[in-house]
Amino acid sequence: MVGDRVFTGGGGSLALGGWRRDLGRYEAGKAADGLVSAPLAGDGPLEFIPAPSRRITAIATRPGIEGFVTGGLDGEVHRWTWADEWRSELLLRHGDDPHDRASELAWATYTPHSVVAICALADSERWVSVTAGGELRLWRGDDSLGAWFLPERGSPRALAAHPARPAVAVGIKQQHHADRLAATVLLVDLA
């Protein structure tokens, strides 16, 4: 959320679904190619914001700075600022080469480089991004402070910051085990 608008990446779909009389069938919503902005309150229009990425897969506000950051399907990270319109600046093309274990997984939605989650840390200065291949990257402002691969097998899908300490919980999707899907949460101390 920035100001009175809510932003989402195009990984979801727009509410464009409905009955197509010309086709004689229902057509589901379509994925947006950029960002979608909607008013927080009221009935204002949806706004489409073109993005330089093939598809935005993660979005978060930046600590102490107006604007936000996005991660993309191909591993790129962009900073977005307002200057009469939303503008993006590339911070990272893609991370390190995916870890060996990335080859153990089947990739349907993401690639090992895809940025799947971003969150701000409690210190109001730093933020963290994680790729589907398990690369966790620590940032301060526009600068990458370092990156490393998580020790747990599987593909990260979510990040949550501790409310007071420099730590994150990483939700990791793992391989199927018999009749259930396995998942785990890895706690990472960033002190």
Side-chain angles (χ1 to χ4, degrees), residues 10-77:
S13 56
L14 297 169
L16 299 176
W19 181 257
R20 292 282 309 267
R21 191 178 322 197
D22 58 329
L23 299 176
R25 64 179 166 82
Y26 180 84
E27 184 175 65
K30 296 179 176 148
D33 289 330
L35 292 167
V36 177
S37 170
L40 184 59
D43 294 330
L46 290 178
E47 294 176 5
F48 171 72
I49 303 165
S53 304
R54 182 163 56 126
R55 191 174 116 209
I56 291 174
T57 52
I59 186 169
T61 57
R62 289 178 16 142
I65 298 174
E66 182 83 9
F68 51 92
V69 289
T70 59
L73 185 65
D74 297 319
E76 65 283 356
V77 176

Side-chain angles (χ1 to χ4, degrees), residues 65-185:
I65 298 174
E66 182 83 9
F68 51 92
V69 289
T70 59
L73 185 65
D74 297 319
E76 65 283 356
V77 176
H78 285 91
R79 168 177 57 116
W80 292 80
T81 54
W82 177 259
D84 295 327
E85 65 181 2
W86 285 105
R87 297 180 187 193
S88 69
E89 181 180 331
L90 183 67
L91 299 179
L92 179 72
R93 173 92 38 218
H94 67 75
D96 295 331
D97 290 330
H99 196 276
D100 301 7
R101 66 190 164 93
S103 63
E104 299 173 6
L105 301 172
W107 298 99
T109 304
Y110 300 111
T111 71
H113 287 295
S114 299
V115 178
V116 293
I118 302 171
C119 74
L121 296 178
D123 64 12
S124 297
E125 293 180 10
R126 298 178 299 161
W127 52 284
V128 178
S129 62
V130 68
T131 67
E135 181 188 76
L136 187 71
R137 184 174 294 272
L138 181 62
W139 300 81
R140 177 176 283 121
D142 293 344
D143 300 320
S144 172
L145 301 177
W148 59 96
F149 285 96
L150 298 170
E152 190 69 32
R153 292 192 180 282
S155 182
R157 289 296 193 264
L159 277 175
H162 189 281
R165 292 186 15 226
V168 292
V170 184
I172 300 175
K173 177 182 175 182
Q174 297 179 315
Q175 297 287 52
H176 290 275
H177 292 284
D179 61 345
R180 65 181 172 82
L181 178 64
T184 191
V185 175

